[in-house]
């Protein structure tokens, strides 16, 4: 048993229990703090606040460690696939061959949208951002499937809805890409595996199937796998917030898409490429931009650098950087943006500003270069992130639903507004 924490408040000594995780992380459990002392805590950006306990993903930001259900990301990246990893995250262990086949069959069964969903696509303007379409269509899909109201996810429909969500986000993304370009919709092919089918729906045409190069399929599957979960980040915490009210899985995932969209979060992969293109257009070799990113008055940041948790290298960035190099060589692509990215990374890693603040490349710094090489348009990059993150969101949703003791998330606040005031009728307002 760990000794309790003790704090002095208004001359009163308050004892609070300490929680220790399986990896030795420690937390002061302040669940009783307000009752015993009248105080709450305040933590801007939740940098020091744990919203829950979880068994899904472990990150050690100081050591650059990331594990899904205890398995190091490096091993999964080297030996697993996105769909096998999705099963691991959602169900808590690696599947046996038959379980993986059943999961894959469920994804195939649910790969098509309800045909009436096509009418929703008609309503979007051609310039609609695919993240807006994705969040709208995920919520819209729940209207077509009865049984979406909340119950224990152990009921069989959880497996169906989880598989449907993972499978259909791919179809929605591809359809939105084709629709906004006035291209004919390409339906999934049951014979194709998950990532290959996405590429088929994106880039085939009615007369000729897209050539599925193994190295391209593998690189995109790895991008999905590396994005599959990342403990309580902004969007996953949003999914849990919505799930805590016992809203349904699609509502929770649609909320996660909206949170992920921001350029400080999942939108960073799009922002990185836009930053690299700006640097290229300006003729800067990157050195001028590095100086600008250090001076807050410019309002610029080195996008794809820095992380709330990683104060060492993001292990995903290392893997993506290697994959980026290998893929571009294999496709014989010389992308000038990659050279700029390498120069930015080299300069930043030697610059005291970034070193002092422990700012390293994160998952978004190189992922966009891979997606560009595959031919995925920049505005779809964050949708690719969302497709990858779906299993993590589903696993967190299930964790909340399985733990019947979960209370609705309802943080407190410290009020800083006007004290007691009175209504002033219009005639007296002057
Ligand atoms: C993701 O949380 C997750 O797990 C997220 C994610 C996931 O898988 O879900 O890993 C995915 O969102 C990765 C992060 C993608 N975002 C970016 O690449 C955008 C650029 N990075 C930053 O804006 C920033 O680093 C954050 C948002 C990632 C983290 O922000 P914090 O922890 O709130 O840190 P901060 O903004 O308080 O910065 C601390 C200092 C500040 O300087 P000082 O006030 O101390 O002088 O570092 C500076 C910041 O100005 N800083 C940067 C910088 N990031 C932080 N300066 C220049 N360029 C940057 N990129």
């Amino acid at each position: 048993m760990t000794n309790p924490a003790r704090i002095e408040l208004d001359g009163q000594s308050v004892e609070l229990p300490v929680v220790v995780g399986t990896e030795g992380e420690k937390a002061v459990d302040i669940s009783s703090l307000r009752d015993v002392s009248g105080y709450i805590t305040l933590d801007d950006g939740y940098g020091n606040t744990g919203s829950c306990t979880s068994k899904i993903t472990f990150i050690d930001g100081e050591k650059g460690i990331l594990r899904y259900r205890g398995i190091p990301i490096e091993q999964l990246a080297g030996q697993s696939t996105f769909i096998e990893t999705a099963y691991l995250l959602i169900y808590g262990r690696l599947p046996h061959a038959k379980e993986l086949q059943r999961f894959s069959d469920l994804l195939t069964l649910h790969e098509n949208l309800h045909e009436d969903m096509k009418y929703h696509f008609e309503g979007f303007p051609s310039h609609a951002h695919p993240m807006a379409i994705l969040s709208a269509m995920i919520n819209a899909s729940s209207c077509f499937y009865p049984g979406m109201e909340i119950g224990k996810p152990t009921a069989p429909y959880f497996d169906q809805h989880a598989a449907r969500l993972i499978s259909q986000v791919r179809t929605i993304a591809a359809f939105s890409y084709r629709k906004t370009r006035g291209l004919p919709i390409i339906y999934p092919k049951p014979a194709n595996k998950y990532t290959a089918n996405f590429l088929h729906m994106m880039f085939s045409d009615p007369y000729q199937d897209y050539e599925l190069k193994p190295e391209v399929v593998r690189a995109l599957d790895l991008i999905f796998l590396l994005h599959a979960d990342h403990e309580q980040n902004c969007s996953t915490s949003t999914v849990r917030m919505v799930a805590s009210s016992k809203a349904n899985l699609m509502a929770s995932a649609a909320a996660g898409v909206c949170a992920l969209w921001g350029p400080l979060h999942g939108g960073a992969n799009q922002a990185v490429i836009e930053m690299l293109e700006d640097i290229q257009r300006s003729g800067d070799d990157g050195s001028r931009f590095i100086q600008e990113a250090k001076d807050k008055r410019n309002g610029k940041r080195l996008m794809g650098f820095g992380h709330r948790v990683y104060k060492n290298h993001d292990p995903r960035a290392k893997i993506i950087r290697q994959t980026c190099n290998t893929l571009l060589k294999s496709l014989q692509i010389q992308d000038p943006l990659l050279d700029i990215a390498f120069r930015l990374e080299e300069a930043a890693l030697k610059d005291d500003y970034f070193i002092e603040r422990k700012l390293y490349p994160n998952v978004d710094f190189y992922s966009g270069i891979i997606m560009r090489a595959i031919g995925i348009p920049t505005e779809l990059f964050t949708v690719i992130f969302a497709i990858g993150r779906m299993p993590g969101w589903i696993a967190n949703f299930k964790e909340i639903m399985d733990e019947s003791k979960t209370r609705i998330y309802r943080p407190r606040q410290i009020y800083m507004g006007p004290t007691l005031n009175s209504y002033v009728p219009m005639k007296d307002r002057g």
Side-chain angles (χ1 to χ4, degrees), residues 230 233 263-265 268 293 296 301-308 316 353 357 359 362 364 385 389:
H230 214 240
N233 56 82
L264 293 188
H265 189 15
K296 294 184 185 28
R301 287 196 162 192
L302 181 54
M303 301 310 278
F305 255 69
H307 201 278
R308 173 63 60 77
R316 302 167 298 176
Y353 173 93
R357 292 166 179 80
L359 304 176
N362 58 49
D364 294 306
F385 191 146
R389 187 51 54 88

PDB file of all heavy atoms in Angstrom, residues 230 233 263-265 268 293 296 301-308 316 353 357 359 362 364 385 389, ligand 1:
ATOM      1  N   HIS A 230      -3.230   6.491 -28.759  1.00  0.00           N
ATOM      2  CA  HIS A 230      -2.158   7.274 -28.110  1.00  0.00           C
ATOM      3  C   HIS A 230      -2.603   7.820 -26.758  1.00  0.00           C
ATOM      4  O   HIS A 230      -2.420   8.999 -26.459  1.00  0.00           O
ATOM      5  CB  HIS A 230      -1.686   8.415 -29.013  1.00  0.00           C
ATOM      6  CG  HIS A 230      -0.222   8.686 -28.844  1.00  0.00           C
ATOM      7  ND1 HIS A 230       0.269   9.901 -28.424  1.00  0.00           N
ATOM      8  CD2 HIS A 230       0.843   7.884 -29.015  1.00  0.00           C
ATOM      9  CE1 HIS A 230       1.590   9.838 -28.340  1.00  0.00           C
ATOM     10  NE2 HIS A 230       1.960   8.623 -28.697  1.00  0.00           N
ATOM     11  N   ASN A 233      -5.037  11.644 -25.460  1.00  0.00           N
ATOM     12  CA  ASN A 233      -4.814  12.879 -26.227  1.00  0.00           C
ATOM     13  C   ASN A 233      -6.128  13.628 -26.384  1.00  0.00           C
ATOM     14  O   ASN A 233      -7.177  13.166 -25.938  1.00  0.00           O
ATOM     15  CB  ASN A 233      -4.230  12.512 -27.583  1.00  0.00           C
ATOM     16  CG  ASN A 233      -5.125  11.537 -28.303  1.00  0.00           C
ATOM     17  OD1 ASN A 233      -6.102  11.927 -28.917  1.00  0.00           O
ATOM     18  ND2 ASN A 233      -4.851  10.247 -28.166  1.00  0.00           N
ATOM     19  N   PRO A 263      -5.108  22.113 -36.047  1.00  0.00           N
ATOM     20  CA  PRO A 263      -3.710  22.040 -36.478  1.00  0.00           C
ATOM     21  C   PRO A 263      -2.731  21.758 -35.339  1.00  0.00           C
ATOM     22  O   PRO A 263      -1.617  21.330 -35.571  1.00  0.00           O
ATOM     23  CB  PRO A 263      -3.441  23.410 -37.097  1.00  0.00           C
ATOM     24  CG  PRO A 263      -4.499  24.306 -36.570  1.00  0.00           C
ATOM     25  CD  PRO A 263      -5.696  23.440 -36.305  1.00  0.00           C
ATOM     26  N   LEU A 264      -3.139  21.945 -34.096  1.00  0.00           N
ATOM     27  CA  LEU A 264      -2.228  21.599 -32.993  1.00  0.00           C
ATOM     28  C   LEU A 264      -2.282  20.101 -32.713  1.00  0.00           C
ATOM     29  O   LEU A 264      -1.465  19.572 -31.975  1.00  0.00           O
ATOM     30  CB  LEU A 264      -2.608  22.371 -31.720  1.00  0.00           C
ATOM     31  CG  LEU A 264      -2.407  23.883 -31.758  1.00  0.00           C
ATOM     32  CD1 LEU A 264      -2.629  24.475 -30.377  1.00  0.00           C
ATOM     33  CD2 LEU A 264      -1.027  24.264 -32.262  1.00  0.00           C
ATOM     34  N   HIS A 265      -3.261  19.421 -33.294  1.00  0.00           N
ATOM     35  CA  HIS A 265      -3.453  17.976 -33.041  1.00  0.00           C
ATOM     36  C   HIS A 265      -3.351  17.238 -34.368  1.00  0.00           C
ATOM     37  O   HIS A 265      -2.347  17.369 -35.051  1.00  0.00           O
ATOM     38  CB  HIS A 265      -4.806  17.793 -32.334  1.00  0.00           C
ATOM     39  CG  HIS A 265      -5.095  16.430 -31.802  1.00  0.00           C
ATOM     40  ND1 HIS A 265      -4.149  15.447 -31.634  1.00  0.00           N
ATOM     41  CD2 HIS A 265      -6.266  15.889 -31.366  1.00  0.00           C
ATOM     42  CE1 HIS A 265      -4.715  14.373 -31.122  1.00  0.00           C
ATOM     43  NE2 HIS A 265      -6.003  14.601 -30.954  1.00  0.00           N
ATOM     44  N   ALA A 268      -2.074  18.678 -37.774  1.00  0.00           N
ATOM     45  CA  ALA A 268      -0.669  19.080 -37.935  1.00  0.00           C
ATOM     46  C   ALA A 268      -0.046  18.459 -39.177  1.00  0.00           C
ATOM     47  O   ALA A 268       0.816  19.081 -39.813  1.00  0.00           O
ATOM     48  CB  ALA A 268       0.143  18.695 -36.696  1.00  0.00           C
ATOM     49  N   ALA A 293      10.251  30.566 -36.340  1.00  0.00           N
ATOM     50  CA  ALA A 293       9.452  29.702 -35.447  1.00  0.00           C
ATOM     51  C   ALA A 293       9.846  29.896 -33.989  1.00  0.00           C
ATOM     52  O   ALA A 293       9.088  29.592 -33.074  1.00  0.00           O
ATOM     53  CB  ALA A 293       9.631  28.243 -35.837  1.00  0.00           C
ATOM     54  N   LYS A 296       8.018  34.194 -31.081  1.00  0.00           N
ATOM     55  CA  LYS A 296       6.556  34.065 -30.961  1.00  0.00           C
ATOM     56  C   LYS A 296       5.814  35.188 -31.657  1.00  0.00           C
ATOM     57  O   LYS A 296       4.664  35.052 -32.034  1.00  0.00           O
ATOM     58  CB  LYS A 296       6.177  33.975 -29.495  1.00  0.00           C
ATOM     59  CG  LYS A 296       6.706  32.704 -28.867  1.00  0.00           C
ATOM     60  CD  LYS A 296       6.289  32.520 -27.479  1.00  0.00           C
ATOM     61  CE  LYS A 296       6.948  31.296 -26.881  1.00  0.00           C
ATOM     62  NZ  LYS A 296       8.243  30.923 -27.442  1.00  0.00           N
ATOM     63  N   ARG A 301       4.941  28.244 -35.839  1.00  0.00           N
ATOM     64  CA  ARG A 301       5.521  27.124 -35.116  1.00  0.00           C
ATOM     65  C   ARG A 301       6.107  26.146 -36.126  1.00  0.00           C
ATOM     66  O   ARG A 301       5.645  26.074 -37.265  1.00  0.00           O
ATOM     67  CB  ARG A 301       4.471  26.398 -34.264  1.00  0.00           C
ATOM     68  CG  ARG A 301       4.066  27.205 -33.048  1.00  0.00           C
ATOM     69  CD  ARG A 301       3.356  26.376 -32.003  1.00  0.00           C
ATOM     70  NE  ARG A 301       3.383  27.063 -30.716  1.00  0.00           N
ATOM     71  CZ  ARG A 301       3.051  26.512 -29.557  1.00  0.00           C
ATOM     72  NH1 ARG A 301       2.652  25.243 -29.531  1.00  0.00           N
ATOM     73  NH2 ARG A 301       3.113  27.185 -28.421  1.00  0.00           N
ATOM     74  N   LEU A 302       7.115  25.409 -35.700  1.00  0.00           N
ATOM     75  CA  LEU A 302       7.669  24.347 -36.539  1.00  0.00           C
ATOM     76  C   LEU A 302       6.705  23.169 -36.423  1.00  0.00           C
ATOM     77  O   LEU A 302       6.791  22.355 -35.498  1.00  0.00           O
ATOM     78  CB  LEU A 302       9.077  23.965 -36.048  1.00  0.00           C
ATOM     79  CG  LEU A 302       9.800  22.879 -36.835  1.00  0.00           C
ATOM     80  CD1 LEU A 302       9.876  23.211 -38.317  1.00  0.00           C
ATOM     81  CD2 LEU A 302      11.206  22.661 -36.269  1.00  0.00           C
ATOM     82  N   MET A 303       5.740  23.132 -37.349  1.00  0.00           N
ATOM     83  CA  MET A 303       4.689  22.129 -37.255  1.00  0.00           C
ATOM     84  C   MET A 303       5.279  20.730 -37.409  1.00  0.00           C
ATOM     85  O   MET A 303       6.237  20.533 -38.135  1.00  0.00           O
ATOM     86  CB  MET A 303       3.625  22.376 -38.335  1.00  0.00           C
ATOM     87  CG  MET A 303       2.970  23.751 -38.240  1.00  0.00           C
ATOM     88  SD  MET A 303       2.379  24.133 -36.591  1.00  0.00           S
ATOM     89  CE  MET A 303       0.807  23.262 -36.619  1.00  0.00           C
ATOM     90  N   GLY A 304       4.716  19.788 -36.651  1.00  0.00           N
ATOM     91  CA  GLY A 304       5.273  18.434 -36.659  1.00  0.00           C
ATOM     92  C   GLY A 304       6.371  18.253 -35.636  1.00  0.00           C
ATOM     93  O   GLY A 304       6.947  17.184 -35.491  1.00  0.00           O
ATOM     94  N   PHE A 305       6.652  19.366 -34.890  1.00  0.00           N
ATOM     95  CA  PHE A 305       7.651  19.292 -33.806  1.00  0.00           C
ATOM     96  C   PHE A 305       6.959  19.550 -32.475  1.00  0.00           C
ATOM     97  O   PHE A 305       6.031  20.336 -32.378  1.00  0.00           O
ATOM     98  CB  PHE A 305       8.724  20.361 -34.036  1.00  0.00           C
ATOM     99  CG  PHE A 305      10.029  19.797 -34.544  1.00  0.00           C
ATOM    100  CD1 PHE A 305      10.124  19.274 -35.824  1.00  0.00           C
ATOM    101  CD2 PHE A 305      11.159  19.784 -33.739  1.00  0.00           C
ATOM    102  CE1 PHE A 305      11.320  18.761 -36.302  1.00  0.00           C
ATOM    103  CE2 PHE A 305      12.370  19.276 -34.217  1.00  0.00           C
ATOM    104  CZ  PHE A 305      12.436  18.751 -35.500  1.00  0.00           C
ATOM    105  N   GLY A 306       7.457  18.927 -31.432  1.00  0.00           N
ATOM    106  CA  GLY A 306       6.947  19.148 -30.085  1.00  0.00           C
ATOM    107  C   GLY A 306       5.834  18.186 -29.739  1.00  0.00           C
ATOM    108  O   GLY A 306       5.159  17.652 -30.617  1.00  0.00           O
ATOM    109  N   HIS A 307       5.666  17.984 -28.443  1.00  0.00           N
ATOM    110  CA  HIS A 307       4.616  17.060 -27.978  1.00  0.00           C
ATOM    111  C   HIS A 307       4.396  17.283 -26.488  1.00  0.00           C
ATOM    112  O   HIS A 307       5.339  17.538 -25.746  1.00  0.00           O
ATOM    113  CB  HIS A 307       5.036  15.607 -28.215  1.00  0.00           C
ATOM    114  CG  HIS A 307       3.879  14.661 -28.250  1.00  0.00           C
ATOM    115  ND1 HIS A 307       3.311  14.176 -27.095  1.00  0.00           N
ATOM    116  CD2 HIS A 307       3.164  14.165 -29.278  1.00  0.00           C
ATOM    117  CE1 HIS A 307       2.305  13.383 -27.425  1.00  0.00           C
ATOM    118  NE2 HIS A 307       2.183  13.359 -28.740  1.00  0.00           N
ATOM    119  N   ARG A 308       3.129  17.208 -26.065  1.00  0.00           N
ATOM    120  CA  ARG A 308       2.828  17.387 -24.647  1.00  0.00           C
ATOM    121  C   ARG A 308       3.481  16.285 -23.802  1.00  0.00           C
ATOM    122  O   ARG A 308       3.947  16.530 -22.695  1.00  0.00           O
ATOM    123  CB  ARG A 308       1.304  17.347 -24.444  1.00  0.00           C
ATOM    124  CG  ARG A 308       0.838  17.356 -23.005  1.00  0.00           C
ATOM    125  CD  ARG A 308       1.236  18.616 -22.281  1.00  0.00           C
ATOM    126  NE  ARG A 308       0.694  19.815 -22.877  1.00  0.00           N
ATOM    127  CZ  ARG A 308      -0.564  20.227 -22.748  1.00  0.00           C
ATOM    128  NH1 ARG A 308      -1.416  19.488 -22.085  1.00  0.00           N
ATOM    129  NH2 ARG A 308      -0.971  21.363 -23.284  1.00  0.00           N
ATOM    130  N   ARG A 316       7.129   6.863 -33.007  1.00  0.00           N
ATOM    131  CA  ARG A 316       6.419   6.730 -34.290  1.00  0.00           C
ATOM    132  C   ARG A 316       7.126   7.542 -35.383  1.00  0.00           C
ATOM    133  O   ARG A 316       7.192   7.135 -36.540  1.00  0.00           O
ATOM    134  CB  ARG A 316       4.970   7.206 -34.128  1.00  0.00           C
ATOM    135  CG  ARG A 316       4.180   6.473 -33.065  1.00  0.00           C
ATOM    136  CD  ARG A 316       2.903   7.189 -32.737  1.00  0.00           C
ATOM    137  NE  ARG A 316       3.167   8.521 -32.199  1.00  0.00           N
ATOM    138  CZ  ARG A 316       2.189   9.393 -31.893  1.00  0.00           C
ATOM    139  NH1 ARG A 316       0.912   9.063 -32.095  1.00  0.00           N
ATOM    140  NH2 ARG A 316       2.490  10.580 -31.384  1.00  0.00           N
ATOM    141  N   TYR A 353      16.958  26.614 -28.647  1.00  0.00           N
ATOM    142  CA  TYR A 353      15.530  26.882 -28.395  1.00  0.00           C
ATOM    143  C   TYR A 353      14.753  25.560 -28.340  1.00  0.00           C
ATOM    144  O   TYR A 353      13.962  25.335 -27.434  1.00  0.00           O
ATOM    145  CB  TYR A 353      14.964  27.772 -29.500  1.00  0.00           C
ATOM    146  CG  TYR A 353      13.477  27.969 -29.445  1.00  0.00           C
ATOM    147  CD1 TYR A 353      12.916  29.064 -28.777  1.00  0.00           C
ATOM    148  CD2 TYR A 353      12.606  27.057 -30.042  1.00  0.00           C
ATOM    149  CE1 TYR A 353      11.543  29.246 -28.726  1.00  0.00           C
ATOM    150  CE2 TYR A 353      11.222  27.221 -29.983  1.00  0.00           C
ATOM    151  CZ  TYR A 353      10.705  28.306 -29.339  1.00  0.00           C
ATOM    152  OH  TYR A 353       9.330  28.469 -29.273  1.00  0.00           O
ATOM    153  N   ARG A 357      13.484  23.234 -24.873  1.00  0.00           N
ATOM    154  CA  ARG A 357      12.050  22.941 -24.708  1.00  0.00           C
ATOM    155  C   ARG A 357      11.723  21.472 -25.040  1.00  0.00           C
ATOM    156  O   ARG A 357      10.565  21.077 -25.064  1.00  0.00           O
ATOM    157  CB  ARG A 357      11.232  23.881 -25.580  1.00  0.00           C
ATOM    158  CG  ARG A 357      11.296  25.345 -25.091  1.00  0.00           C
ATOM    159  CD  ARG A 357      10.772  26.309 -26.125  1.00  0.00           C
ATOM    160  NE  ARG A 357      10.820  27.672 -25.628  1.00  0.00           N
ATOM    161  CZ  ARG A 357      11.919  28.429 -25.611  1.00  0.00           C
ATOM    162  NH1 ARG A 357      13.080  27.921 -26.064  1.00  0.00           N
ATOM    163  NH2 ARG A 357      11.887  29.661 -25.144  1.00  0.00           N
ATOM    164  N   LEU A 359      11.855  19.778 -27.823  1.00  0.00           N
ATOM    165  CA  LEU A 359      10.966  19.700 -28.996  1.00  0.00           C
ATOM    166  C   LEU A 359      11.610  18.815 -30.050  1.00  0.00           C
ATOM    167  O   LEU A 359      12.671  19.120 -30.583  1.00  0.00           O
ATOM    168  CB  LEU A 359      10.711  21.096 -29.562  1.00  0.00           C
ATOM    169  CG  LEU A 359      10.129  22.126 -28.593  1.00  0.00           C
ATOM    170  CD1 LEU A 359      10.031  23.486 -29.256  1.00  0.00           C
ATOM    171  CD2 LEU A 359       8.766  21.691 -28.061  1.00  0.00           C
ATOM    172  N   ASN A 362       7.431  14.878 -34.166  1.00  0.00           N
ATOM    173  CA  ASN A 362       6.389  13.971 -33.697  1.00  0.00           C
ATOM    174  C   ASN A 362       5.830  13.188 -34.889  1.00  0.00           C
ATOM    175  O   ASN A 362       6.333  13.307 -35.999  1.00  0.00           O
ATOM    176  CB  ASN A 362       5.290  14.759 -32.957  1.00  0.00           C
ATOM    177  CG  ASN A 362       4.664  15.828 -33.855  1.00  0.00           C
ATOM    178  OD1 ASN A 362       4.277  15.547 -34.986  1.00  0.00           O
ATOM    179  ND2 ASN A 362       4.604  17.053 -33.350  1.00  0.00           N
ATOM    180  N   ASP A 364       3.622  13.559 -36.853  1.00  0.00           N
ATOM    181  CA  ASP A 364       3.110  14.269 -38.036  1.00  0.00           C
ATOM    182  C   ASP A 364       4.197  14.838 -38.925  1.00  0.00           C
ATOM    183  O   ASP A 364       3.892  15.341 -40.016  1.00  0.00           O
ATOM    184  CB  ASP A 364       2.191  15.418 -37.568  1.00  0.00           C
ATOM    185  CG  ASP A 364       0.952  14.871 -36.891  1.00  0.00           C
ATOM    186  OD1 ASP A 364       0.262  14.039 -37.517  1.00  0.00           O
ATOM    187  OD2 ASP A 364       0.701  15.222 -35.727  1.00  0.00           O
ATOM    188  N   PHE A 385      -5.333  10.152 -40.652  1.00  0.00           N
ATOM    189  CA  PHE A 385      -5.057  10.042 -39.212  1.00  0.00           C
ATOM    190  C   PHE A 385      -6.303   9.494 -38.491  1.00  0.00           C
ATOM    191  O   PHE A 385      -6.218   8.580 -37.667  1.00  0.00           O
ATOM    192  CB  PHE A 385      -4.689  11.423 -38.661  1.00  0.00           C
ATOM    193  CG  PHE A 385      -4.125  11.453 -37.259  1.00  0.00           C
ATOM    194  CD1 PHE A 385      -3.167  12.391 -36.914  1.00  0.00           C
ATOM    195  CD2 PHE A 385      -4.542  10.585 -36.266  1.00  0.00           C
ATOM    196  CE1 PHE A 385      -2.647  12.455 -35.626  1.00  0.00           C
ATOM    197  CE2 PHE A 385      -4.030  10.637 -34.975  1.00  0.00           C
ATOM    198  CZ  PHE A 385      -3.087  11.577 -34.653  1.00  0.00           C
ATOM    199  N   ARG A 389      -6.823   6.213 -36.221  1.00  0.00           N
ATOM    200  CA  ARG A 389      -7.140   6.351 -34.790  1.00  0.00           C
ATOM    201  C   ARG A 389      -8.445   5.703 -34.375  1.00  0.00           C
ATOM    202  O   ARG A 389      -8.696   5.499 -33.180  1.00  0.00           O
ATOM    203  CB  ARG A 389      -7.183   7.852 -34.455  1.00  0.00           C
ATOM    204  CG  ARG A 389      -7.326   8.232 -32.998  1.00  0.00           C
ATOM    205  CD  ARG A 389      -6.343   7.560 -32.031  1.00  0.00           C
ATOM    206  NE  ARG A 389      -4.938   7.706 -32.348  1.00  0.00           N
ATOM    207  CZ  ARG A 389      -4.183   8.717 -31.940  1.00  0.00           C
ATOM    208  NH1 ARG A 389      -4.700   9.692 -31.249  1.00  0.00           N
ATOM    209  NH2 ARG A 389      -2.898   8.782 -32.242  1.00  0.00           N
TER     210      ARG A 389
HETATM  211  C1  LIG B   1      -0.469  15.042 -32.180  1.00  0.00           C
HETATM  212  O1  LIG B   1      -1.362  14.265 -27.471  1.00  0.00           O
HETATM  213  C2  LIG B   1      -1.102  13.390 -28.372  1.00  0.00           C
HETATM  214  O2  LIG B   1      -0.781  12.250 -28.075  1.00  0.00           O
HETATM  215  C3  LIG B   1      -1.260  13.866 -29.761  1.00  0.00           C
HETATM  216  C4  LIG B   1      -0.764  12.937 -30.852  1.00  0.00           C
HETATM  217  C5  LIG B   1      -1.607  11.692 -30.976  1.00  0.00           C
HETATM  218  O3  LIG B   1      -1.097  10.688 -31.483  1.00  0.00           O
HETATM  219  O4  LIG B   1      -2.834  11.787 -30.643  1.00  0.00           O
HETATM  220  O5  LIG B   1       0.572  12.574 -30.629  1.00  0.00           O
HETATM  221  C6  LIG B   1      -0.865  13.619 -32.217  1.00  0.00           C
HETATM  222  O6  LIG B   1      -1.302  15.887 -31.988  1.00  0.00           O
HETATM  223  C7  LIG B   1       0.983  15.389 -32.309  1.00  0.00           C
HETATM  224  C8  LIG B   1       1.255  16.919 -32.165  1.00  0.00           C
HETATM  225  C9  LIG B   1       0.947  17.584 -33.499  1.00  0.00           C
HETATM  226  N1  LIG B   1       1.020  19.058 -33.371  1.00  0.00           N
HETATM  227  C10 LIG B   1       2.020  19.746 -33.906  1.00  0.00           C
HETATM  228  O7  LIG B   1       2.987  19.255 -34.467  1.00  0.00           O
HETATM  229  C11 LIG B   1       1.854  21.258 -33.789  1.00  0.00           C
HETATM  230  C12 LIG B   1       3.165  21.886 -33.347  1.00  0.00           C
HETATM  231  N2  LIG B   1       3.438  21.530 -31.967  1.00  0.00           N
HETATM  232  C13 LIG B   1       2.914  22.343 -30.938  1.00  0.00           C
HETATM  233  O8  LIG B   1       2.005  23.297 -31.159  1.00  0.00           O
HETATM  234  C14 LIG B   1       3.058  21.827 -29.522  1.00  0.00           C
HETATM  235  O9  LIG B   1       4.317  21.292 -29.407  1.00  0.00           O
HETATM  236  C15 LIG B   1       2.019  20.835 -29.050  1.00  0.00           C
HETATM  237  C16 LIG B   1       0.644  21.332 -29.292  1.00  0.00           C
HETATM  238  C17 LIG B   1       2.200  19.532 -29.770  1.00  0.00           C
HETATM  239  C18 LIG B   1       2.219  20.623 -27.568  1.00  0.00           C
HETATM  240  O10 LIG B   1       1.887  21.799 -26.949  1.00  0.00           O
HETATM  241  P1  LIG B   1       2.074  22.033 -25.359  1.00  0.00           P
HETATM  242  O11 LIG B   1       2.475  20.785 -24.680  1.00  0.00           O
HETATM  243  O12 LIG B   1       0.868  22.758 -24.868  1.00  0.00           O
HETATM  244  O13 LIG B   1       3.350  22.944 -25.313  1.00  0.00           O
HETATM  245  P2  LIG B   1       3.320  24.538 -25.397  1.00  0.00           P
HETATM  246  O14 LIG B   1       2.468  24.973 -26.538  1.00  0.00           O
HETATM  247  O15 LIG B   1       3.025  25.061 -24.033  1.00  0.00           O
HETATM  248  O16 LIG B   1       4.864  24.854 -25.774  1.00  0.00           O
HETATM  249  C19 LIG B   1       5.866  24.880 -24.768  1.00  0.00           C
HETATM  250  C20 LIG B   1       6.939  25.811 -25.320  1.00  0.00           C
HETATM  251  C21 LIG B   1       6.397  27.185 -25.725  1.00  0.00           C
HETATM  252  O17 LIG B   1       7.464  28.092 -25.651  1.00  0.00           O
HETATM  253  P3  LIG B   1       7.704  28.951 -24.249  1.00  0.00           P
HETATM  254  O18 LIG B   1       6.375  29.605 -23.929  1.00  0.00           O
HETATM  255  O19 LIG B   1       8.121  27.938 -23.215  1.00  0.00           O
HETATM  256  O20 LIG B   1       8.784  29.931 -24.613  1.00  0.00           O
HETATM  257  O21 LIG B   1       7.481  25.252 -26.536  1.00  0.00           O
HETATM  258  C22 LIG B   1       7.185  26.119 -27.617  1.00  0.00           C
HETATM  259  C23 LIG B   1       6.056  27.002 -27.175  1.00  0.00           C
HETATM  260  O22 LIG B   1       6.051  28.229 -27.882  1.00  0.00           O
HETATM  261  N3  LIG B   1       6.771  25.243 -28.748  1.00  0.00           N
HETATM  262  C24 LIG B   1       7.115  25.433 -30.019  1.00  0.00           C
HETATM  263  C25 LIG B   1       6.575  24.342 -30.713  1.00  0.00           C
HETATM  264  N4  LIG B   1       5.919  23.544 -29.859  1.00  0.00           N
HETATM  265  C26 LIG B   1       6.051  24.116 -28.646  1.00  0.00           C
HETATM  266  N5  LIG B   1       7.829  26.407 -30.639  1.00  0.00           N
HETATM  267  C27 LIG B   1       7.992  26.284 -31.967  1.00  0.00           C
HETATM  268  N6  LIG B   1       7.510  25.251 -32.713  1.00  0.00           N
HETATM  269  C28 LIG B   1       6.804  24.267 -32.122  1.00  0.00           C
HETATM  270  N7  LIG B   1       6.331  23.264 -32.835  1.00  0.00           N
END
